Amino acid sequence: MFPALETDLKQETLPDPYEDFMHHHLQYYGYFKDSLMLSSPLLRSRQLLYDDLDEVNPRLREPRELFSIFSSRGPLQAPRWPIECEVIKENISHIEWVPPQPEYFYQPTGDEKVPEIVGEEQGTAVYQLDSVPTEGAYFTSSRIGGKRGIIKELAVTLQGPEDNTLLFESRFESGNLQKAVRVGIYEYELTLRTDLYTDKHTQWFYFRVQNTRKDVTYRFTIVNLLKPKSLYAVGMKPLMYSQLDAITYNIGWRREGQEIKYYKNTTDDGQQPLYCLTWTVQFPHDQDTCFFAHFYPYTYTDLQCYLLSIANNPIQSQFCKLRALCRSLAGNTVYLLTITNPSRTPQEAAAKKAVVLSARVHPGESNGSWIMKGFLDFILSNSPDAQLLRDIFVFKVIPMLNPDGVIVGNYRCSLAGRDLNRHYKTVLKDSFPCIWYAKNMIKRLLEEREVLLYCDFHGHSRKNNIFLYGCNSNSRKHWLHERVFPLMLSKNAPDKFSFDSCNFKVQKCKEGTGRVVMWRMGIINSYTMESTFGGSTLGSKRDTHFTVEDLKSLGYHVCDTILDFCDPDQTKYTQCLQELKELLQQEIHKKLNNLGQDMDLEGSWSDIPLSDIESSTSGSDSSLSDGLPAHLLNLADELNQKAMLKKPKKKRLQTRKQRNEQYQKNYLMRELKLTENNTPGRARFPPTLQKQPTFLKNPENSSSSIMRNEKPRLNETQLSGRDKGTSLDPPLTSLVLPKNKDITQSKKPGFTASCSPKRSTNSSLGPAPDVKPNWPKTRYPATRKDRTPMVAYPSLHIYTYP
């Protein structure tokens, strides 16, 4: 897959070096004609193309892209690893498969065994990684293939065909297993590797076992987990993949495991407390190769293969442009996709608003990649809804923000040894390039157009379902508007998305996260989407694990909800806003009852700060910022000092009124000084002295004729631009879309008010939701040919609150 790893490269050379030299020498003096020059393979320009007959009729090649991403014939870019990491040469890949039956949670019986941790004192180490960089070390360099030299065989050597010792391996892309100790015939204690250059963050695991035995119960116990709470304690099962089943029966990843127990490790080493996960399993075949994982893996190579298919698709490549946002710390490409239909006029292009989506800032949260894949599958399809979204929006998509962490199998950090989702305010471009360039890309985008939505896809290890974290708007004008999108999404995916689990409180420890930084940059609808590692407790999917198809369908629901959110008929928006007010009133009453207070909320309930009502996100799957690594502290201080030493620019006066006031003030001060210096008597000085304080205290009372004429003009402009009958409650977000007489309406129960037609869908073009939304859906026509062409694009307007 990666020919760059091959050492023997075939190159075309002339048979005689002397002839090669003479050829160029004589060409310099003009002894060769054009036909001879073009016929020589060495003299051909790479900028010229020739026809099939190799005739001398060249034409210029198409201009190159800004960045070299993929070649239609070339190989994928091989991942770059830190030079300390050993990497096996095998290519690990898995098939994508959806179980035909729901995979239910494990139901604890209370009789699960709690194995005692014995370690190497009473067991035998059968697998152990050497020289893994931890806390105190830091990243220096990388190379394709990782560590130089011969790859060691870390697994034990089998003594014969009767030896039933399992052979472990994790030195592949996204793999994570530090050590395996055999403490019984079929029992193993496993130690996970911490994130590189740290001493914490053990959650993600992904490893391979070989030399299996059928119909034998094996027990695996992970001994160094750090979180006191886990979904494994409430029924979540690990994932297993059998290579023989995949080849023979086309069966992929599936939930397996019995006697699952999550408990505290009683071994006291004087450090932070550790927790254990134990489970039993039976392998389906003898001599099989199996894999275990915390969640469905999605590697950097998987992403590159997917993007290569888009780049080679002649239709999708017309409206999906692939660029390199930057290079990561190890030199891996961070990809940026720009998705929008070509515009007919510059005015049409400028009128489009933007939607920004990103995933995998935390490398161990692979569920974010599956939601992103579902979104891309739908937005790049020929569905009428997808075409409509591409017509009215510009989508900026960063599918993998932390490729280095994904490649090495980290759970939360980059190769800087820090959580990138706590450093969006960083000034260290070279140490945190991925988020520095992402933030500045969005900053430039905000200068060009309004960003309607920002959403960062994550995973959650302690809560079931899917939910959003947002930010409260401090403006009474837009009160509760940031909660409309999550409520709409819960109605579109009622068996997966839980609005009750959403939270909108901004904590001080989350100021460096993507959603808070983007919100402070001016994006009102700024969210973190948390999808569980487990499954659903809602509706028809209650007590079942999520599959990759469930997560991909949520990507479709995000697209569907964007259209509902911007529907020109604002019935749904208004009803959601009213429902939010009623829910908030109920929450306030509940809080007051718990405090033993009684209060009339008819007139003053909307003035209560939402931060006082809402609980914190302490249950979120997050970590506090560890600050900068020691070797970066001085660099950060130097950059901050340079920023402080910069001379602040003089504030520019923006309005005519301000300029006039400043002019009048300066004029009076000059008159005052002239009066003091030139007038021998004091007859005219007191009146001047009496006017000065009046002007300074009441600048609006200036006698300037310009100011007297300007003030009523400003008032008229403000009054003419404001709708006197507009209240603060109705939504300010709407899209005026092209009208079509052939639009039909389909009604669904749930909403009492009718909705105007919106669009049509084809169930074969996108994943249909398992449970219908409990509001009436309106659809746009299924074909775009019947749509009336727009004569002038200004008929397409997007109104959003600032």
Side-chain angles (χ1 to χ4, degrees):
M1 180 179 295
F2 302 111
L5 296 175
E6 299 177 3
T7 56
D8 297 331
L9 300 177
K10 296 181 180 179
Q11 299 181 355
E12 296 182 2
T13 57
L14 286 179
D16 191 344
Y18 177 76
E19 291 183 5
D20 183 21
F21 167 76
M22 291 302 300
H23 188 87
H24 286 280
H25 180 71
L26 294 175
Q27 177 196 345
Y28 177 81
Y29 289 99
Y31 281 93
F32 283 97
K33 301 295 184 182
D34 291 342
S35 58
L36 294 176
M37 290 171 61
L38 292 173
S39 63
S40 173
L42 286 180
L43 299 178
R44 288 189 178 183
S45 170
R46 295 185 179 181
Q47 299 300 321
L48 299 179
L49 296 176
Y50 301 85
D51 55 21
D52 296 336
L53 299 177
D54 206 25
E55 296 180 356
V56 184
N57 186 21
R59 64 186 187 277
L60 287 177
R61 187 183 298 273
E62 289 292 329
R64 291 184 176 184
E65 300 288 356
L66 293 178
F67 297 93
S68 178
I69 305 297
F70 292 120
S71 172
S72 58
R73 300 177 184 176
L76 298 178
Q77 298 180 10
R80 299 184 64 88
W81 296 70
I83 57 173
E84 301 95 337
C85 297
E86 290 187 342
V87 185
I88 62 175
K89 302 302 181 185
E90 300 177 49
N91 292 322
I92 306 297
S93 61
H94 307 292
I95 64 171
E96 190 175 325
W97 176 73
V98 179
Q101 300 297 328
E103 296 179 308
Y104 287 94
F105 293 157
Y106 172 72
Q107 299 298 325
T109 62
D111 298 329
E112 288 80 12
K113 180 182 176 182
V114 179
E116 182 182 356
I117 308 304
V118 298
E120 294 186 57
E121 296 179 358
Q122 302 180 27
T124 304
V126 295
Y127 178 82
Q128 184 166 2
L129 292 180
D130 297 327
S131 66
V132 175
T134 57
E135 181 69 18
Y138 55 88
F139 172 79
T140 56
S141 61
S142 65
R143 66 182 297 270
I144 295 174
K147 191 174 183 179
R148 296 180 182 273
I150 301 175
I151 302 300
K152 300 177 182 179
E153 291 292 337
L154 299 184
V156 296
T157 303
L158 298 179
Q159 301 301 318
E162 301 301 323
D163 191 344
N164 56 8
T165 304
L166 291 179
L167 305 179
F168 291 82
E169 184 58 81
S170 65
R171 294 172 297 172
F172 48 81
E173 197 172 347
S174 294
N176 189 313
L177 180 67
Q178 172 76 31
K179 182 170 63 173
V181 178
R182 188 181 189 184
V183 295
I185 299 179
Y186 301 109
E187 189 169 346
Y188 295 85
E189 290 181 1
L190 310 177
T191 302
L192 303 185
R193 194 208 71 222
T194 60
D195 284 4
L196 293 187
Y197 311 109
T198 75
D199 60 353
K200 59 177 71 173
H201 307 302
T202 52
Q203 181 71 34
W204 170 261
F205 60 88
Y206 176 31
F207 58 89
R208 183 183 73 185
V209 293
Q210 294 176 308
N211 194 37
T212 62
R213 297 293 186 269
K214 183 181 178 182
D215 298 331
V216 173
T217 300
Y218 288 82
R219 176 176 291 276
F220 298 98
T221 304
I222 299 175
V223 300
N224 66 329
L225 297 171
L226 294 175
K227 294 187 177 181
K229 295 181 181 179
S230 173
L231 287 171
Y232 289 111
V234 291
M236 176 176 158
K237 294 182 178 181
L239 281 161
M240 190 189 78
Y241 183 95
S242 167
Q243 213 160 48
L244 286 178
D245 276 348
I247 296 172
T248 308
Y249 306 108
N250 201 35
I251 296 176
W253 289 99
R254 58 195 182 205
R255 300 282 180 172
E256 291 288 349
Q258 297 295 324
E259 300 185 44
I260 301 172
K261 182 75 174 179
Y262 193 87
Y263 61 98
K264 187 174 182 179
N265 190 337
T266 57
T267 304
D268 187 9
D269 55 359
Q271 299 178 356
Q272 55 186 335
L274 300 177
Y275 296 85
C276 300
L277 168 67
T278 186
W279 76 95
T280 61
V281 69
Q282 289 189 352
F283 294 109
H285 305 283
D286 287 327
Q287 302 297 328
D288 194 4
T289 297
C290 293
F291 295 83
F292 288 97
H294 180 57
F295 201 72
Y296 300 97
Y298 193 94
T299 65
Y300 183 64
T301 300
D302 293 334
L303 173 66
Q304 289 199 104
C305 292
Y306 182 76
L307 296 181
L308 182 61
S309 68
I310 296 174
N312 291 335
N313 188 308
I315 298 176
Q316 294 179 346
S317 59
Q318 294 179 6
F319 50 78
C320 178
K321 300 302 179 182
L322 186 62
R323 297 289 185 269
L325 176 68
C326 64
R327 297 282 181 176
S328 67
L329 207 57
N332 295 296
T333 303
V334 180
Y335 296 101
L336 171 66
L337 283 70
T338 302
I339 304 171
T340 188
N341 281 341
S343 302
R344 293 186 290 270
T345 63
Q347 294 80 7
E348 180 180 342
K352 293 183 178 181
K353 294 189 182 291
V355 174
V356 181
L357 302 175
S358 61
R360 297 302 284 277
V361 69
H362 292 154
E365 297 170 359
S366 59
N367 27 16
S369 284
W370 291 107
I371 296 177
M372 180 65 76
K373 187 175 187 300
F375 167 81
L376 291 174
D377 284 344
F378 180 78
I379 200 66
L380 297 176
S381 69
N382 60 353
S383 164
D385 285 359
Q387 296 179 40
L388 181 62
L389 284 168
R390 298 195 300 265
D391 282 340
I392 60 181
F393 289 112
V394 175
F395 292 91
K396 294 286 187 178
V397 180
I398 309 175
M400 193 170 286
L401 265 170
N402 188 357
D404 294 346
V406 173
I407 290 170
V408 302
N410 280 2
Y411 173 60
R412 199 167 188 88
C413 297
S414 71
L415 294 184
R418 292 298 181 266
D419 182 350
L420 293 183
N421 201 36
R422 296 296 182 273
H423 289 85
Y424 270 89
K425 293 171 140 184
T426 185
V427 296
L428 301 177
K429 177 176 67 173
D430 295 333
S431 299
F432 304 99
C434 307
I435 54 174
W436 192 93
Y437 280 98
K439 177 185 173 181
N440 279 272
M441 180 273 294
I442 297 172
K443 188 181 297 183
R444 293 195 303 270
L445 186 64
L446 283 167
E447 296 173 356
E448 300 173 1
R449 62 188 78 244
E450 181 181 342
V451 177
L452 180 72
L453 175 73
Y454 166 84
C455 191
D456 190 20
F457 298 153
H458 285 250
H460 208 284
S461 66
R462 288 180 283 183
K463 285 185 180 180
N464 280 309
N465 307 312
I466 302 171
F467 47 93
L468 289 175
Y469 289 141
C471 304
N472 272 329
S473 175
N474 297 325
S475 171
R476 294 290 98 184
K477 185 177 181 180
H478 306 134
W479 189 59
L480 295 178
H481 284 217
E482 72 281 348
R483 305 176 184 229
V484 173
F485 185 85
L487 183 60
M488 284 185 170
L489 188 54
S490 70
K491 293 179 178 294
N492 284 332
D495 56 345
K496 303 181 187 72
F497 191 91
S498 170
F499 181 76
D500 292 337
S501 298
C502 295
N503 199 293
F504 302 88
K505 188 170 184 177
V506 178
Q507 297 174 273
K508 186 176 180 180
C509 62
K510 305 297 177 66
E511 286 290 338
T513 60
R515 68 174 169 98
V516 177
V517 171
M518 302 309 162
W519 174 64
R520 297 204 183 280
M521 287 169 55
I523 305 175
I524 302 297
N525 299 297
S526 180
Y527 305 107
T528 296
M529 178 175 287
E530 299 280 359
S531 56
T532 181
F533 289 108
S536 174
T537 61
L538 306 170
S540 60
K541 291 190 173 295
R542 184 179 181 86
D543 296 335
T544 61
H545 289 89
F546 280 151
T547 64
V548 293
E549 199 63 33
D550 291 326
L551 297 177
K552 288 165 64 176
S553 70
L554 195 77
Y556 156 76
H557 289 306
V558 169
C559 297
D560 196 38
T561 305
I562 292 175
L563 285 174
D564 288 330
F565 188 72
C566 301
D567 198 325
D569 181 355
Q570 291 289 280
T571 305
K572 297 175 183 177
Y573 196 110
T574 306
Q575 182 169 344
C576 285
L577 207 57
Q578 183 60 35
E579 185 176 340
L580 285 169
K581 293 177 181 178
E582 294 174 358
L583 290 173
L584 192 60
Q585 279 182 318
Q586 296 174 7
E587 187 67 23
I588 294 173
H589 279 293
K590 187 186 299 182
K591 291 279 185 181
L592 294 176
N593 290 334
N594 293 338
L595 296 174
Q597 300 177 5
D598 190 12
M599 180 178 177
D600 182 15
L601 300 177
E602 291 299 327
S604 61
W605 70 275
S606 61
D607 295 328
I608 300 177
L610 297 179
S611 58
D612 295 342
I613 304 167
E614 202 160 33
S615 61
S616 68
T617 57
S618 58
S620 66
D621 196 19
S622 61
S623 63
L624 298 179
S625 175
D626 295 326
L628 292 174
H631 66 285
L632 297 179
L633 290 176
N634 293 334
L635 178 60
D637 292 339
E638 291 176 5
L639 293 175
N640 290 329
Q641 288 177 4
K642 288 181 180 179
M644 293 176 64
L645 291 175
K646 287 184 179 179
K647 186 177 180 180
K649 295 182 179 180
K650 187 177 180 180
K651 186 176 181 181
R652 187 177 179 182
L653 299 177
Q654 297 294 330
T655 66
R656 184 182 300 173
K657 180 178 179 181
Q658 290 175 318
R659 293 196 299 269
N660 289 336
E661 289 175 355
Q662 185 67 33
Y663 175 80
Q664 289 291 330
K665 179 180 177 182
N666 295 338
Y667 175 77
L668 289 176
M669 294 298 293
R670 287 195 303 269
E671 288 292 324
L672 177 60
K673 290 180 180 180
L674 289 174
T675 303
E676 291 177 346
N677 296 332
N678 300 331
T679 305
R682 300 282 179 174
R684 289 188 298 171
F685 182 73
T688 307
L689 189 61
Q690 292 171 2
K691 287 183 180 180
Q692 182 186 355
T694 304
F695 170 77
L696 294 175
K697 292 181 181 178
N698 301 304
E700 67 275 6
N701 296 332
S702 172
S703 60
S704 172
S705 61
I706 298 177
M707 292 175 65
R708 281 198 296 267
N709 295 334
E710 183 68 17
K711 190 171 183 179
R713 249 183 265 157
L714 287 172
N715 292 337
E716 290 171 4
T717 304
Q718 293 170 357
L719 290 174
S720 62
R722 180 183 297 175
D723 187 359
K724 297 179 181 179
T726 303
S727 65
L728 299 181
D729 290 340
L732 300 179
T733 305
S734 64
L735 283 176
V736 180
L737 302 173
K739 297 182 180 179
N740 193 315
K741 296 181 181 180
D742 299 331
I743 294 178
T744 59
Q745 180 178 358
S746 60
K747 299 183 179 179
K748 298 181 183 179
F751 268 93
T752 56
S754 62
C755 299
S756 66
K758 187 172 62 127
R759 62 194 185 282
S760 65
T761 53
N762 189 340
S763 59
S764 63
L765 297 175
D770 298 315
V771 177
K772 295 182 179 179
N774 54 353
W775 56 18
K777 280 279 184 186
T778 55
R779 298 294 178 187
Y780 288 101
T783 60
R784 292 167 56 86
K785 295 181 180 179
D786 298 333
R787 290 173 58 188
T788 305
M790 292 185 293
V791 179
Y793 192 78
S795 62
L796 176 61
H797 300 289
I798 306 176
Y799 299 102
T800 60
Y801 44 86

